[in-house]
PDB file of all heavy atoms in Angstrom:
ATOM      1  N   GLY W   3     -60.293  91.359 -25.811  1.00 98.00           N
ATOM      2  CA  GLY W   3     -60.545  90.032 -25.263  1.00 98.00           C
ATOM      3  C   GLY W   3     -60.435  89.952 -23.762  1.00 98.00           C
ATOM      4  O   GLY W   3     -60.336  90.962 -23.055  1.00 98.00           O
ATOM      5  N   GLY W   4     -60.441  88.727 -23.272  1.00 98.00           N
ATOM      6  CA  GLY W   4     -60.420  88.451 -21.849  1.00 98.00           C
ATOM      7  C   GLY W   4     -59.081  88.701 -21.200  1.00 98.00           C
ATOM      8  O   GLY W   4     -58.107  89.095 -21.853  1.00 98.00           O
ATOM      9  N   PRO W   5     -58.996  88.450 -19.883  1.00 97.00           N
ATOM     10  CA  PRO W   5     -57.786  88.767 -19.122  1.00 97.00           C
ATOM     11  C   PRO W   5     -56.553  87.962 -19.534  1.00 97.00           C
ATOM     12  O   PRO W   5     -55.443  88.485 -19.473  1.00 97.00           O
ATOM     13  CB  PRO W   5     -58.182  88.430 -17.677  1.00 97.00           C
ATOM     14  CG  PRO W   5     -59.670  88.440 -17.662  1.00 97.00           C
ATOM     15  CD  PRO W   5     -60.091  87.984 -19.011  1.00 97.00           C
ATOM     16  N   ARG W   6     -56.736  86.728 -19.955  1.00 96.00           N
ATOM     17  CA  ARG W   6     -55.581  85.904 -20.288  1.00 96.00           C
ATOM     18  C   ARG W   6     -54.883  86.453 -21.531  1.00 96.00           C
ATOM     19  O   ARG W   6     -55.551  86.838 -22.500  1.00 96.00           O
ATOM     20  CB  ARG W   6     -55.995  84.461 -20.513  1.00 96.00           C
ATOM     21  CG  ARG W   6     -56.614  83.775 -19.308  1.00 96.00           C
ATOM     22  CD  ARG W   6     -56.832  82.287 -19.575  1.00 96.00           C
ATOM     23  NE  ARG W   6     -57.592  82.088 -20.806  1.00 96.00           N
ATOM     24  CZ  ARG W   6     -57.728  80.913 -21.412  1.00 96.00           C
ATOM     25  NH1 ARG W   6     -57.157  79.834 -20.899  1.00 96.00           N
ATOM     26  NH2 ARG W   6     -58.433  80.800 -22.530  1.00 96.00           N
ATOM     27  N   PRO W   7     -53.560  86.485 -21.530  1.00 96.00           N
ATOM     28  CA  PRO W   7     -52.838  87.035 -22.682  1.00 96.00           C
ATOM     29  C   PRO W   7     -53.229  86.398 -24.010  1.00 96.00           C
ATOM     30  O   PRO W   7     -53.356  87.092 -25.022  1.00 96.00           O
ATOM     31  CB  PRO W   7     -51.368  86.751 -22.343  1.00 96.00           C
ATOM     32  CG  PRO W   7     -51.331  86.719 -20.853  1.00 96.00           C
ATOM     33  CD  PRO W   7     -52.639  86.099 -20.438  1.00 96.00           C
ATOM     34  N   GLU W   8     -53.444  85.083 -24.012  1.00 95.00           N
ATOM     35  CA  GLU W   8     -53.792  84.415 -25.266  1.00 95.00           C
ATOM     36  C   GLU W   8     -55.146  84.850 -25.809  1.00 95.00           C
ATOM     37  O   GLU W   8     -55.442  84.678 -26.997  1.00 95.00           O
ATOM     38  CB  GLU W   8     -53.752  82.892 -25.100  1.00 95.00           C
ATOM     39  CG  GLU W   8     -54.625  82.354 -23.994  1.00 95.00           C
ATOM     40  CD  GLU W   8     -53.894  82.185 -22.678  1.00 95.00           C
ATOM     41  OE1 GLU W   8     -53.009  83.016 -22.372  1.00 95.00           O
ATOM     42  OE2 GLU W   8     -54.199  81.217 -21.957  1.00 95.00           O
ATOM     43  N   ASP W   9     -55.986  85.416 -24.945  1.00 97.00           N
ATOM     44  CA  ASP W   9     -57.289  85.894 -25.382  1.00 97.00           C
ATOM     45  C   ASP W   9     -57.282  87.366 -25.783  1.00 97.00           C
ATOM     46  O   ASP W   9     -58.298  87.870 -26.277  1.00 97.00           O
ATOM     47  CB  ASP W   9     -58.323  85.703 -24.261  1.00 97.00           C
ATOM     48  CG  ASP W   9     -58.560  84.246 -23.929  1.00 97.00           C
ATOM     49  OD1 ASP W   9     -58.408  83.407 -24.837  1.00 97.00           O
ATOM     50  OD2 ASP W   9     -58.866  83.944 -22.754  1.00 97.00           O
ATOM     51  N   SER W  10     -56.168  88.050 -25.554  1.00 98.00           N
ATOM     52  CA  SER W  10     -56.133  89.495 -25.805  1.00 98.00           C
ATOM     53  C   SER W  10     -54.823  89.933 -26.437  1.00 98.00           C
ATOM     54  O   SER W  10     -54.713  90.033 -27.661  1.00 98.00           O
ATOM     55  CB  SER W  10     -56.394  90.254 -24.499  1.00 98.00           C
ATOM     56  OG  SER W  10     -55.561  89.789 -23.447  1.00 98.00           O
ATOM     57  N   TYR W  11     -53.796  90.156 -25.619  1.00 98.00           N
ATOM     58  CA  TYR W  11     -52.554  90.738 -26.124  1.00 98.00           C
ATOM     59  C   TYR W  11     -51.751  89.786 -27.015  1.00 98.00           C
ATOM     60  O   TYR W  11     -50.867  90.229 -27.749  1.00 98.00           O
ATOM     61  CB  TYR W  11     -51.689  91.210 -24.955  1.00 98.00           C
ATOM     62  CG  TYR W  11     -52.349  92.283 -24.127  1.00 98.00           C
ATOM     63  CD1 TYR W  11     -52.820  92.012 -22.841  1.00 98.00           C
ATOM     64  CD2 TYR W  11     -52.536  93.569 -24.634  1.00 98.00           C
ATOM     65  CE1 TYR W  11     -53.434  92.993 -22.078  1.00 98.00           C
ATOM     66  CE2 TYR W  11     -53.156  94.561 -23.879  1.00 98.00           C
ATOM     67  CZ  TYR W  11     -53.609  94.262 -22.599  1.00 98.00           C
ATOM     68  OH  TYR W  11     -54.238  95.230 -21.848  1.00 98.00           O
ATOM     69  N   LEU W  12     -52.066  88.512 -26.978  1.00 96.00           N
ATOM     70  CA  LEU W  12     -51.412  87.550 -27.859  1.00 96.00           C
ATOM     71  C   LEU W  12     -52.325  87.115 -29.003  1.00 96.00           C
ATOM     72  O   LEU W  12     -51.942  86.246 -29.792  1.00 96.00           O
ATOM     73  CB  LEU W  12     -50.954  86.316 -27.064  1.00 96.00           C
ATOM     74  CG  LEU W  12     -49.759  86.521 -26.132  1.00 96.00           C
ATOM     75  CD1 LEU W  12     -49.514  85.277 -25.292  1.00 96.00           C
ATOM     76  CD2 LEU W  12     -48.504  86.878 -26.926  1.00 96.00           C
ATOM     77  N   ASN W  13     -53.496  87.700 -29.081  1.00 97.00           N
ATOM     78  CA  ASN W  13     -54.442  87.339 -30.130  1.00 97.00           C
ATOM     79  C   ASN W  13     -54.237  88.260 -31.331  1.00 97.00           C
ATOM     80  O   ASN W  13     -54.826  89.341 -31.430  1.00 97.00           O
ATOM     81  CB  ASN W  13     -55.880  87.445 -29.607  1.00 97.00           C
ATOM     82  CG  ASN W  13     -56.882  86.796 -30.546  1.00 97.00           C
ATOM     83  OD1 ASN W  13     -56.822  86.983 -31.758  1.00 97.00           O
ATOM     84  ND2 ASN W  13     -57.806  86.023 -29.982  1.00 97.00           N
ATOM     85  N   GLY W  14     -53.372  87.829 -32.230  1.00 98.00           N
ATOM     86  CA  GLY W  14     -53.001  88.660 -33.358  1.00 98.00           C
ATOM     87  C   GLY W  14     -54.163  89.054 -34.253  1.00 98.00           C
ATOM     88  O   GLY W  14     -54.234  90.190 -34.730  1.00 98.00           O
ATOM     89  N   GLN W  15     -55.097  88.135 -34.491  1.00 98.00           N
ATOM     90  CA  GLN W  15     -56.218  88.438 -35.377  1.00 98.00           C
ATOM     91  C   GLN W  15     -57.098  89.551 -34.813  1.00 98.00           C
ATOM     92  O   GLN W  15     -57.543  90.438 -35.541  1.00 98.00           O
ATOM     93  CB  GLN W  15     -57.051  87.170 -35.598  1.00 98.00           C
ATOM     94  CG  GLN W  15     -56.407  86.153 -36.543  1.00 98.00           C
ATOM     95  CD  GLN W  15     -56.475  86.589 -38.000  1.00 98.00           C
ATOM     96  OE1 GLN W  15     -57.022  87.640 -38.331  1.00 98.00           O
ATOM     97  NE2 GLN W  15     -55.883  85.805 -38.882  1.00 98.00           N
ATOM     98  N   ARG W  16     -57.332  89.513 -33.503  1.00 98.00           N
ATOM     99  CA  ARG W  16     -58.162  90.562 -32.897  1.00 98.00           C
ATOM    100  C   ARG W  16     -57.459  91.910 -32.929  1.00 98.00           C
ATOM    101  O   ARG W  16     -58.094  92.958 -33.116  1.00 98.00           O
ATOM    102  CB  ARG W  16     -58.517  90.178 -31.464  1.00 98.00           C
ATOM    103  CG  ARG W  16     -59.478  88.999 -31.375  1.00 98.00           C
ATOM    104  CD  ARG W  16     -59.883  88.720 -29.943  1.00 98.00           C
ATOM    105  NE  ARG W  16     -60.788  87.588 -29.870  1.00 98.00           N
ATOM    106  CZ  ARG W  16     -61.278  87.081 -28.738  1.00 98.00           C
ATOM    107  NH1 ARG W  16     -60.931  87.634 -27.569  1.00 98.00           N
ATOM    108  NH2 ARG W  16     -62.096  86.055 -28.756  1.00 98.00           N
ATOM    109  N   ILE W  17     -56.147  91.896 -32.731  1.00 98.00           N
ATOM    110  CA  ILE W  17     -55.393  93.158 -32.773  1.00 98.00           C
ATOM    111  C   ILE W  17     -55.380  93.730 -34.186  1.00 98.00           C
ATOM    112  O   ILE W  17     -55.556  94.943 -34.386  1.00 98.00           O
ATOM    113  CB  ILE W  17     -53.962  92.937 -32.231  1.00 98.00           C
ATOM    114  CG1 ILE W  17     -54.018  92.675 -30.723  1.00 98.00           C
ATOM    115  CG2 ILE W  17     -53.075  94.138 -32.541  1.00 98.00           C
ATOM    116  CD1 ILE W  17     -52.714  92.234 -30.124  1.00 98.00           C
ATOM    117  N   ILE W  18     -55.221  92.867 -35.186  1.00 98.00           N
ATOM    118  CA  ILE W  18     -55.295  93.311 -36.578  1.00 98.00           C
ATOM    119  C   ILE W  18     -56.670  93.909 -36.868  1.00 98.00           C
ATOM    120  O   ILE W  18     -56.792  94.975 -37.499  1.00 98.00           O
ATOM    121  CB  ILE W  18     -55.013  92.139 -37.537  1.00 98.00           C
ATOM    122  CG1 ILE W  18     -53.552  91.665 -37.423  1.00 98.00           C
ATOM    123  CG2 ILE W  18     -55.347  92.524 -38.977  1.00 98.00           C
ATOM    124  CD1 ILE W  18     -52.539  92.609 -37.992  1.00 98.00           C
ATOM    125  N   SER W  19     -57.712  93.250 -36.393  1.00 98.00           N
ATOM    126  CA  SER W  19     -59.073  93.745 -36.608  1.00 98.00           C
ATOM    127  C   SER W  19     -59.265  95.124 -35.980  1.00 98.00           C
ATOM    128  O   SER W  19     -59.900  96.012 -36.571  1.00 98.00           O
ATOM    129  CB  SER W  19     -60.096  92.770 -36.020  1.00 98.00           C
ATOM    130  OG  SER W  19     -60.055  91.525 -36.701  1.00 98.00           O
ATOM    131  N   ALA W  20     -58.703  95.313 -34.775  1.00 98.00           N
ATOM    132  CA  ALA W  20     -58.797  96.614 -34.110  1.00 98.00           C
ATOM    133  C   ALA W  20     -58.083  97.689 -34.916  1.00 98.00           C
ATOM    134  O   ALA W  20     -58.566  98.827 -35.042  1.00 98.00           O
ATOM    135  CB  ALA W  20     -58.217  96.523 -32.703  1.00 98.00           C
ATOM    136  N   ALA W  21     -56.933  97.351 -35.473  1.00 98.00           N
ATOM    137  CA  ALA W  21     -56.183  98.320 -36.283  1.00 98.00           C
ATOM    138  C   ALA W  21     -56.958  98.710 -37.529  1.00 98.00           C
ATOM    139  O   ALA W  21     -57.059  99.892 -37.878  1.00 98.00           O
ATOM    140  CB  ALA W  21     -54.823  97.740 -36.660  1.00 98.00           C
ATOM    141  N   LEU W  22     -57.535  97.728 -38.203  1.00 98.00           N
ATOM    142  CA  LEU W  22     -58.285  98.002 -39.426  1.00 98.00           C
ATOM    143  C   LEU W  22     -59.551  98.798 -39.122  1.00 98.00           C
ATOM    144  O   LEU W  22     -59.916  99.727 -39.856  1.00 98.00           O
ATOM    145  CB  LEU W  22     -58.630  96.694 -40.130  1.00 98.00           C
ATOM    146  CG  LEU W  22     -57.441  95.869 -40.650  1.00 98.00           C
ATOM    147  CD1 LEU W  22     -57.918  94.538 -41.194  1.00 98.00           C
ATOM    148  CD2 LEU W  22     -56.670  96.643 -41.717  1.00 98.00           C
ATOM    149  N   ALA W  23     -60.218  98.456 -38.018  1.00 98.00           N
ATOM    150  CA  ALA W  23     -61.468  99.132 -37.670  1.00 98.00           C
ATOM    151  C   ALA W  23     -61.260 100.590 -37.298  1.00 98.00           C
ATOM    152  O   ALA W  23     -62.144 101.434 -37.514  1.00 98.00           O
ATOM    153  CB  ALA W  23     -62.156  98.391 -36.529  1.00 98.00           C
ATOM    154  N   THR W  24     -60.104 100.901 -36.728  1.00 98.00           N
ATOM    155  CA  THR W  24     -59.832 102.277 -36.279  1.00 98.00           C
ATOM    156  C   THR W  24     -59.045 103.095 -37.298  1.00 98.00           C
ATOM    157  O   THR W  24     -58.780 104.278 -37.076  1.00 98.00           O
ATOM    158  CB  THR W  24     -59.049 102.258 -34.955  1.00 98.00           C
ATOM    159  OG1 THR W  24     -57.838 101.490 -35.125  1.00 98.00           O
ATOM    160  CG2 THR W  24     -59.883 101.641 -33.838  1.00 98.00           C
ATOM    161  N   GLY W  25     -58.652 102.470 -38.395  1.00 98.00           N
ATOM    162  CA  GLY W  25     -57.914 103.197 -39.426  1.00 98.00           C
ATOM    163  C   GLY W  25     -56.445 103.394 -39.126  1.00 98.00           C
ATOM    164  O   GLY W  25     -55.800 104.272 -39.719  1.00 98.00           O
ATOM    165  N   ALA W  26     -55.880 102.588 -38.220  1.00 98.00           N
ATOM    166  CA  ALA W  26     -54.442 102.672 -37.941  1.00 98.00           C
ATOM    167  C   ALA W  26     -53.664 102.185 -39.157  1.00 98.00           C
ATOM    168  O   ALA W  26     -54.075 101.250 -39.844  1.00 98.00           O
ATOM    169  CB  ALA W  26     -54.099 101.847 -36.708  1.00 98.00           C
ATOM    170  N   GLN W  27     -52.527 102.804 -39.401  1.00 98.00           N
ATOM    171  CA  GLN W  27     -51.693 102.411 -40.538  1.00 98.00           C
ATOM    172  C   GLN W  27     -50.530 101.520 -40.121  1.00 98.00           C
ATOM    173  O   GLN W  27     -49.932 100.847 -40.960  1.00 98.00           O
ATOM    174  CB  GLN W  27     -51.128 103.668 -41.214  1.00 98.00           C
ATOM    175  CG  GLN W  27     -52.202 104.609 -41.731  1.00 98.00           C
ATOM    176  CD  GLN W  27     -51.786 106.055 -41.572  1.00 98.00           C
ATOM    177  OE1 GLN W  27     -51.217 106.450 -40.560  1.00 98.00           O
ATOM    178  NE2 GLN W  27     -52.064 106.862 -42.591  1.00 98.00           N
ATOM    179  N   ALA W  28     -50.202 101.544 -38.826  1.00 98.00           N
ATOM    180  CA  ALA W  28     -49.046 100.787 -38.341  1.00 98.00           C
ATOM    181  C   ALA W  28     -49.329 100.269 -36.947  1.00 98.00           C
ATOM    182  O   ALA W  28     -50.201 100.784 -36.236  1.00 98.00           O
ATOM    183  CB  ALA W  28     -47.795 101.673 -38.325  1.00 98.00           C
ATOM    184  N   ILE W  29     -48.585  99.234 -36.561  1.00 99.00           N
ATOM    185  CA  ILE W  29     -48.714  98.644 -35.228  1.00 99.00           C
ATOM    186  C   ILE W  29     -47.348  98.610 -34.566  1.00 99.00           C
ATOM    187  O   ILE W  29     -46.387  98.095 -35.130  1.00 99.00           O
ATOM    188  CB  ILE W  29     -49.290  97.213 -35.304  1.00 99.00           C
ATOM    189  CG1 ILE W  29     -50.729  97.248 -35.828  1.00 99.00           C
ATOM    190  CG2 ILE W  29     -49.246  96.530 -33.935  1.00 99.00           C
ATOM    191  CD1 ILE W  29     -51.379  95.887 -35.959  1.00 99.00           C
ATOM    192  N   HIS W  30     -47.275  99.187 -33.369  1.00 98.00           N
ATOM    193  CA  HIS W  30     -46.038  99.100 -32.571  1.00 98.00           C
ATOM    194  C   HIS W  30     -46.262  98.029 -31.502  1.00 98.00           C
ATOM    195  O   HIS W  30     -47.164  98.149 -30.675  1.00 98.00           O
ATOM    196  CB  HIS W  30     -45.727 100.440 -31.913  1.00 98.00           C
ATOM    197  CG  HIS W  30     -44.305 100.538 -31.431  1.00 98.00           C
ATOM    198  ND1 HIS W  30     -43.705  99.578 -30.628  1.00 98.00           N
ATOM    199  CD2 HIS W  30     -43.342 101.478 -31.654  1.00 98.00           C
ATOM    200  CE1 HIS W  30     -42.459  99.917 -30.383  1.00 98.00           C
ATOM    201  NE2 HIS W  30     -42.206 101.067 -31.004  1.00 98.00           N
ATOM    202  N   PRO W  31     -45.420  96.975 -31.493  1.00 98.00           N
ATOM    203  CA  PRO W  31     -45.642  95.864 -30.565  1.00 98.00           C
ATOM    204  C   PRO W  31     -44.998  96.040 -29.202  1.00 98.00           C
ATOM    205  O   PRO W  31     -45.213  95.209 -28.310  1.00 98.00           O
ATOM    206  CB  PRO W  31     -45.010  94.683 -31.297  1.00 98.00           C
ATOM    207  CG  PRO W  31     -43.837  95.306 -32.004  1.00 98.00           C
ATOM    208  CD  PRO W  31     -44.324  96.685 -32.432  1.00 98.00           C
ATOM    209  N   GLY W  32     -44.186  97.107 -29.011  1.00 98.00           N
ATOM    210  CA  GLY W  32     -43.493  97.266 -27.731  1.00 98.00           C
ATOM    211  C   GLY W  32     -42.496  96.150 -27.503  1.00 98.00           C
ATOM    212  O   GLY W  32     -41.745  95.770 -28.403  1.00 98.00           O
ATOM    213  N   TYR W  33     -42.488  95.587 -26.273  1.00 97.00           N
ATOM    214  CA  TYR W  33     -41.655  94.413 -25.991  1.00 97.00           C
ATOM    215  C   TYR W  33     -42.551  93.328 -25.381  1.00 97.00           C
ATOM    216  O   TYR W  33     -43.626  93.611 -24.854  1.00 97.00           O
ATOM    217  CB  TYR W  33     -40.484  94.755 -25.067  1.00 97.00           C
ATOM    218  CG  TYR W  33     -40.856  95.424 -23.766  1.00 97.00           C
ATOM    219  CD1 TYR W  33     -41.483  94.724 -22.730  1.00 97.00           C
ATOM    220  CD2 TYR W  33     -40.551  96.765 -23.541  1.00 97.00           C
ATOM    221  CE1 TYR W  33     -41.817  95.338 -21.539  1.00 97.00           C
ATOM    222  CE2 TYR W  33     -40.887  97.393 -22.347  1.00 97.00           C
ATOM    223  CZ  TYR W  33     -41.516  96.672 -21.351  1.00 97.00           C
ATOM    224  OH  TYR W  33     -41.844  97.282 -20.164  1.00 97.00           O
ATOM    225  N   GLY W  34     -42.092  92.084 -25.432  1.00 94.00           N
ATOM    226  CA  GLY W  34     -42.931  90.990 -24.959  1.00 94.00           C
ATOM    227  C   GLY W  34     -44.098  90.748 -25.898  1.00 94.00           C
ATOM    228  O   GLY W  34     -44.164  91.270 -27.019  1.00 94.00           O
ATOM    229  N   PHE W  35     -45.061  89.940 -25.459  1.00 96.00           N
ATOM    230  CA  PHE W  35     -46.252  89.615 -26.239  1.00 96.00           C
ATOM    231  C   PHE W  35     -45.887  89.270 -27.689  1.00 96.00           C
ATOM    232  O   PHE W  35     -45.163  88.322 -27.934  1.00 96.00           O
ATOM    233  CB  PHE W  35     -47.284  90.732 -26.146  1.00 96.00           C
ATOM    234  CG  PHE W  35     -47.883  90.902 -24.775  1.00 96.00           C
ATOM    235  CD1 PHE W  35     -47.945  92.152 -24.166  1.00 96.00           C
ATOM    236  CD2 PHE W  35     -48.372  89.812 -24.070  1.00 96.00           C
ATOM    237  CE1 PHE W  35     -48.499  92.309 -22.894  1.00 96.00           C
ATOM    238  CE2 PHE W  35     -48.917  89.956 -22.799  1.00 96.00           C
ATOM    239  CZ  PHE W  35     -48.974  91.203 -22.220  1.00 96.00           C
ATOM    240  N   LEU W  36     -46.332  90.065 -28.661  1.00 97.00           N
ATOM    241  CA  LEU W  36     -46.148  89.725 -30.077  1.00 97.00           C
ATOM    242  C   LEU W  36     -44.946  90.416 -30.717  1.00 97.00           C
ATOM    243  O   LEU W  36     -44.773  90.370 -31.934  1.00 97.00           O
ATOM    244  CB  LEU W  36     -47.413  90.093 -30.857  1.00 97.00           C
ATOM    245  CG  LEU W  36     -48.671  89.297 -30.482  1.00 97.00           C
ATOM    246  CD1 LEU W  36     -49.897  89.916 -31.131  1.00 97.00           C
ATOM    247  CD2 LEU W  36     -48.529  87.836 -30.884  1.00 97.00           C
ATOM    248  N   SER W  37     -44.094  91.032 -29.907  1.00 97.00           N
ATOM    249  CA  SER W  37     -43.011  91.856 -30.456  1.00 97.00           C
ATOM    250  C   SER W  37     -41.984  91.062 -31.254  1.00 97.00           C
ATOM    251  O   SER W  37     -41.345  91.613 -32.153  1.00 97.00           O
ATOM    252  CB  SER W  37     -42.306  92.618 -29.334  1.00 97.00           C
ATOM    253  OG  SER W  37     -41.699  91.721 -28.420  1.00 97.00           O
ATOM    254  N   GLU W  38     -41.799  89.791 -30.942  1.00 95.00           N
ATOM    255  CA  GLU W  38     -40.846  88.961 -31.677  1.00 95.00           C
ATOM    256  C   GLU W  38     -41.543  87.768 -32.318  1.00 95.00           C
ATOM    257  O   GLU W  38     -40.961  86.714 -32.507  1.00 95.00           O
ATOM    258  CB  GLU W  38     -39.725  88.505 -30.744  1.00 95.00           C
ATOM    259  CG  GLU W  38     -38.828  89.646 -30.275  1.00 95.00           C
ATOM    260  CD  GLU W  38     -37.699  89.196 -29.365  1.00 95.00           C
ATOM    261  OE1 GLU W  38     -37.979  88.869 -28.191  1.00 95.00           O
ATOM    262  OE2 GLU W  38     -36.539  89.178 -29.818  1.00 95.00           O
ATOM    263  N   ASN W  39     -42.800  87.980 -32.688  1.00 95.00           N
ATOM    264  CA  ASN W  39     -43.596  86.937 -33.310  1.00 95.00           C
ATOM    265  C   ASN W  39     -43.592  87.152 -34.821  1.00 95.00           C
ATOM    266  O   ASN W  39     -44.244  88.069 -35.330  1.00 95.00           O
ATOM    267  CB  ASN W  39     -45.023  86.984 -32.747  1.00 95.00           C
ATOM    268  CG  ASN W  39     -45.879  85.830 -33.215  1.00 95.00           C
ATOM    269  OD1 ASN W  39     -46.038  85.608 -34.411  1.00 95.00           O
ATOM    270  ND2 ASN W  39     -46.438  85.094 -32.266  1.00 95.00           N
ATOM    271  N   ALA W  40     -42.845  86.318 -35.518  1.00 97.00           N
ATOM    272  CA  ALA W  40     -42.720  86.476 -36.970  1.00 97.00           C
ATOM    273  C   ALA W  40     -44.068  86.316 -37.661  1.00 97.00           C
ATOM    274  O   ALA W  40     -44.358  87.007 -38.652  1.00 97.00           O
ATOM    275  CB  ALA W  40     -41.718  85.458 -37.515  1.00 97.00           C
ATOM    276  N   GLY W  41     -44.908  85.417 -37.143  1.00 97.00           N
ATOM    277  CA  GLY W  41     -46.225  85.214 -37.738  1.00 97.00           C
ATOM    278  C   GLY W  41     -47.075  86.467 -37.672  1.00 97.00           C
ATOM    279  O   GLY W  41     -47.779  86.810 -38.640  1.00 97.00           O
TER     280      GLY W  41
END
């Protein structure tokens, strides 16, 4: 997505789509952004 965090690093659906499209089995959130997002 775009430069704003809400359009990219905070966009959970797009990140999930990227994981599924590339065949990733797990997601590491690091710190900040979605790392403490229960949803």
Side-chain angles (χ1 to χ4, degrees):
R6 298 187 307 168
E8 56 266 35
D9 296 331
S10 50
Y11 298 109
L12 288 173
N13 193 315
Q15 285 286 359
R16 291 184 181 178
I17 290 171
I18 293 289
S19 295
L22 296 174
T24 56
Q27 300 144 319
I29 295 179
H30 197 309
Y33 54 72
F35 293 130
L36 295 170
S37 63
E38 293 181 286
N39 187 304

